[in-house]
Amino acid sequence: MDQLPATFVQDFHDEASVRKMKYVSFGNTGLMVSKISLGTGTLSKFYGDLGEKEGVKAVHLALKKGINYIDTAPYYGQGRSEEILGQALKDVPRRAYYVATKVGRYELEYDKMFDFSAQKTRASVEKSLALLGVECIDVVQIHDVEFAADLNVIWNETLPTLEALKAEGKLKYIGVSAYPMDPLKKVISGAPGRFDTVLCYCRNTLIDDSLKEYLPFFKANNLAVICASGHGMGLLTNAGPQPWHPAQDQTKQVCREAAEYCKQHGVELGKLAMYHFIQLDGPSTFLSGMQSEELVDINLAAFFNGLTPKEREVLDYLNDRVFPKVNAKNWEGIEVERYWSAMKSTSN
């Protein structure tokens, strides 16, 4: 690239890496964001034990290498992700990054997990500002709207509260996220022109390409598309998913077979998944969790260097012989059904 991005800071960034990074228009916001962005759901117990120092180092390396968009949420470690990220950002010039967080999903207990009310939304943004140590959050997203009992609460409480906070200068842009695609389309259609971003996760992977179908709709609504979790929340890595992963057993078994094949050939499945993930045209940025410097290097290598001939050969084999065995490409409905079943039990 001939021109350095607005987020470039002399003596902080690795200029050579920044020049290799691609920066893409972020919907209608006027921002230019790095094609690879940093997800911090991994800065929590959701993905195993994590040392704070290790997490801080990963954030610093990612930013210095040219990543300028970071995503977090109160739900990730019940504030722990925002806390660790805030510690990391203390040593980073504010102009060097854009930070996004979420509202709506909070606790692990089912009866306290979701709250889309106006009061909770305002309190959540205020808490996020304090934990992140910033005066203004670049993007605040409504988290996992498929769990709302009625989308009217999103349109009548959550969204107007975020718009008020935006008018107060506490946030700049408003987004929405979900796993199933139809609720995203519905919530956006019900509030035309009021969302700036949309986050879709696990919908552009080696086993599920359903995001493609919805890109024209998102583009027609002038939304910046954040394409997240090309590793399928750990499913498509040599280490495999965490015990809580909601995918069907057969899907997990096929992905384990893929991981074993990769291990036998000295290849990291996560790198293959990352490479595949970032090939799609349309999204502004590809969001990936990276809780260690090693994972930052692996994911950026997939972008900066592509795949080796051996890695391409392994990927071709998996695409031809292994991944077609998957019966269920997604786990849509499983978590929502589990949630409402639990809520029904607690109310009885």
Side-chain angles (χ1 to χ4, degrees):
M1 59 180 290
D2 298 325
Q3 193 174 359
L4 290 163
T7 48
F8 177 77
V9 178
Q10 194 73 43
D11 299 325
F12 172 77
H13 283 106
D14 171 4
E15 186 173 333
S17 293
V18 173
R19 289 190 180 279
K20 283 196 291 183
M21 178 60 72
K22 184 177 181 181
Y23 295 89
V24 182
S25 294
F26 197 54
N28 276 6
T29 66
L31 305 181
M32 297 291 288
V33 298
S34 50
K35 182 173 180 178
I36 311 301
S37 46
L38 177 64
T40 62
T42 48
L43 300 183
S44 70
K45 294 285 188 183
F46 284 153
Y47 288 88
D49 290 328
L50 173 82
E52 183 174 319
K53 288 183 181 178
E54 185 182 17
V56 167
K57 284 181 181 178
V59 172
H60 287 168
L61 180 62
L63 293 175
K64 287 177 181 179
K65 292 286 189 180
I67 287 174
N68 70 359
Y69 186 87
I70 316 165
D71 177 272
T72 185
Y75 182 63
Y76 303 155
Q78 289 58 61
R80 185 64 174 149
S81 171
E82 289 183 320
E83 183 183 4
I84 295 175
L85 183 55
Q87 291 298 317
L89 295 178
K90 282 181 179 179
D91 300 318
V92 179
R94 181 62 182 93
R95 62 168 284 197
Y97 61 88
Y98 304 118
V99 64
T101 192
K102 305 181 186 76
V103 295
R105 187 168 190 167
Y106 301 103
E107 304 299 331
L108 293 174
E109 299 88 352
Y110 284 116
D111 59 336
K112 299 176 184 174
M113 189 174 283
F114 293 95
D115 188 343
F116 296 103
S117 68
Q119 183 179 5
K120 181 66 174 179
T121 298
R122 176 171 284 276
S124 181
V125 171
E126 297 284 3
K127 184 177 180 181
S128 293
L129 285 163
L131 286 174
L132 294 169
V134 297
E135 293 182 0
C136 178
I137 299 165
D138 296 288
V139 182
V140 177
Q141 303 150 108
I142 305 173
H143 200 174
D144 289 350
V145 292
E146 70 268 31
F147 289 91
D150 185 333
L151 287 179
N152 282 310
V153 71
I154 306 295
W155 296 319
N156 298 334
E157 293 201 45
T158 326
L159 182 54
T161 304
L162 292 179
E163 289 169 335
L165 288 160
K166 179 180 177 179
E168 294 165 26
K170 293 178 178 177
L171 63 96
K172 292 181 181 176
Y173 304 105
I174 298 169
V176 61
S177 81
Y179 177 60
M181 305 297 288
D182 285 337
L184 277 176
K185 192 171 182 179
K186 188 173 180 181
V187 79
I188 291 162
S189 298
R194 294 169 70 185
F195 289 105
D196 303 294
T197 74
V198 58
L199 187 152
C200 313
Y201 63 98
C202 303
R203 294 298 194 167
N204 173 39
T205 71
L206 287 163
I207 61 171
D208 184 352
D209 64 355
S210 50
L211 174 56
K212 285 181 184 176
E213 181 188 338
Y214 291 82
L215 284 173
F217 171 79
F218 296 146
K219 187 176 181 181
N221 283 271
N222 301 310
L223 296 167
V225 178
I226 301 146
C227 183
S229 199
H231 299 97
M233 300 191 300
L235 195 61
L236 295 162
T237 64
N238 282 8
Q242 294 294 316
W244 51 258
H245 200 289
Q248 296 87 340
D249 288 342
Q250 193 268 350
T251 304
K252 290 179 182 176
Q253 179 55 45
V254 174
C255 292
R256 272 196 296 270
E257 182 185 336
E260 286 304 316
Y261 186 84
C262 285
K263 289 175 192 175
Q264 290 165 13
H265 291 80
V267 168
E268 170 53 59
L269 176 57
K271 185 181 178 186
L272 307 186
M274 185 70 182
Y275 177 79
H276 172 87
F277 177 55
I278 61 178
Q279 302 309 311
L280 181 63
D281 288 330
S284 294
T285 190
F286 294 85
L287 183 69
S288 183
M290 310 178 216
Q291 70 267 45
S292 68
E293 290 177 301
E294 180 187 9
L295 290 175
V296 173
D297 285 334
I298 288 171
N299 285 330
L300 287 180
F303 171 67
F304 288 145
N305 308 322
L307 301 181
T308 65
K310 183 179 183 181
E311 287 168 336
R312 286 183 180 277
E313 189 177 309
V314 169
L315 181 57
D316 287 343
Y317 176 87
L318 297 179
N319 282 332
D320 290 342
R321 306 286 295 277
V322 180
F323 293 130
K325 298 177 187 178
V326 171
N327 293 331
K329 294 186 175 184
N330 65 67
W331 46 91
E332 186 171 323
I334 291 176
E335 290 174 291
V336 174
E337 185 178 329
R338 190 180 296 160
Y339 170 73
W340 285 113
S341 176
M343 289 296 287
K344 188 177 179 181
S345 298
T346 56
S347 64
N348 288 339

